[in-house]
Amino acid sequence: LERAKSIGILTASLRDDWYAARECLLQVSPENAESLRILESSAFLVSLESVSPSTHQEFSLACHCSNGVDRYFDKNFQLLVFANGRYGFNGEHSLTDATTDMRLCNALVKDVEALCSEVAPAALSTAAVSDSQCAVSELAFDYNAELLGHIQRAVDYFDTTVRGHELATLEFDSFGKEQIKKMKVSPDAFVQMAMQLAYYRKFGHVPATYESASTKSYARGRTETSRSVSEHSVQWCRMMVDNPETTSLHTKSELLKQAIINQSQFTAQCAKGAGIDRHLLGLEYALLSDEAKPEIFSDPVFLASRHWKLSTSQISDPILDAYGWGEVVDDGFGVAYRIENNSLHFNVVSQRLGSKRLCRYLSDALMDMRFLLTNAHKQPHEIMAEVDAVANVLNSIKLLSSVPRSPASPTFGSESSAHEDSSSESARFRDPFPSDPAASNSVLDELERLPSSEMICALETRLSRFVKESLYWALPSTS
């Protein structure tokens, strides 16, 4: 389909521009009106895509926007089938929320899988389909110069908007819901605090943060705003970043736990209809044109408190491989996340404010919080002893990797060694050059003696970097 004649891309325009283009479209010919009626009255749309996204990043981008031609962004549910067999959907949000969409997606996936299991693959590819079973007709549109001008402006606006955005994904597989529950905290609230800490480290303040809370337990219930920020969460972020050496691990841990409890309690209240944002929004919209607006609706603090620089929501469904949306304010981020049993997944979108960088801060925040909650009961010298033990093992692995090997042998530990240096820090752990099998066995013995949690950090997340860059706040200042 030519972009210059794409009707769907008009739906990517600003609403006033789309209204003007739609009026022009209807006036060109009666055939246009009929084709548009069919599009707008359909239950859903199907897009057969020519691209084959493979990574999370590619798949997210393809579902999020594609090239704009194969989309009708006003449609609540548009099924996307890609050339490599992957499929997803793009939907306009005003009609439904995630609960409804996921029920529909689950039904779709189960039906497709049931059909494929009942019919042999060879039969699917060679099955004869009669014309009556697959009656397809093209929706014809007529064009004039004015309509083509609207389409070109829509194409330009779409391309400018896409270029002005950055989408980044984080697949965090160091731990997930099971491990967070062992820390005796809410997994969702744990992730919410990680986002606040990541944002604080990047921008130096905690922003107004929106998390969607479902009110589906009520007739016609949709959502309420769960406000993630509290006095405790702000104080904790400042304690972690601004003056980390002035407070103990125990103090930081207790403050984090209280912030998590606050978030969990407020989310539960919102789900019961006891939130504040939908109530205040309804009151504001209920004002008559001749009524004076109450001062709260123009109060700078109130306005700032609902300028959602972090717009977040969680869907953790096994059928999902990725999902996300855009930011809700120009200077903010849209953060979609999934909490799996042993992993956490994030999709971050912004107007090039540093989505990829925020993902890196998120990864660091998650690791720091895990370290904090699992080590708060320990004394500094105990933590330092474990750090020294891990550093010794990492240094031994580095030395082992430097032993000359045959070309067919893999270089074990080369990635970890890239993060080491020749400073006095690594010299502190220098041992005799291990050039025999006994040295290798010694390293394995050291690994077995390490606490399991530190083993995981060392081998899965390169603790050498974590120690050097993130552990400074865990120990009191030596100056």
Side-chain angles (χ1 to χ4, degrees), residues 249 378-385 474-476:
L249 280 179
K378 298 176 183 177
Q379 294 298 317
H381 69 274
E382 295 176 300
I383 298 172
M384 202 62 235
L475 300 169

Side-chain angles (χ1 to χ4, degrees), residues 108-217:
L108 174 68
V109 170
K110 289 177 182 177
D111 286 348
V112 170
E113 290 183 348
L115 175 64
C116 292
S117 64
E118 293 170 2
V119 182
L124 284 173
S125 62
T126 61
V129 180
S130 66
D131 291 341
S132 61
Q133 289 176 299
C134 189
V136 177
S137 59
E138 182 178 356
L139 294 180
F141 288 94
D142 297 320
Y143 302 84
N144 62 14
E146 183 182 358
L147 180 57
L148 292 174
H150 282 296
I151 293 174
Q152 186 56 54
R153 284 190 291 275
V155 168
D156 293 341
Y157 177 77
F158 176 86
D159 290 343
T160 300
T161 302
V162 171
R163 284 196 301 269
H165 279 75
E166 177 190 7
L167 185 153
T169 59
L170 170 63
E171 300 171 61
F172 182 87
D173 57 6
S174 295
F175 59 86
K177 178 171 62 178
E178 291 182 358
Q179 294 87 342
I180 297 174
K181 283 186 174 180
K182 290 178 181 178
M183 303 176 206
K184 302 187 184 321
V185 295
S186 160
D188 181 75
F190 180 94
V191 173
Q192 285 289 325
M193 294 306 111
M195 287 188 279
Q196 289 190 38
L197 179 57
Y199 191 99
Y200 193 93
R201 281 176 167 166
K202 179 169 172 54
F203 293 102
H205 69 276
V206 174
T209 304
Y210 174 105
E211 181 185 9
S212 178
S214 175
T215 54
K216 283 289 184 181
S217 58

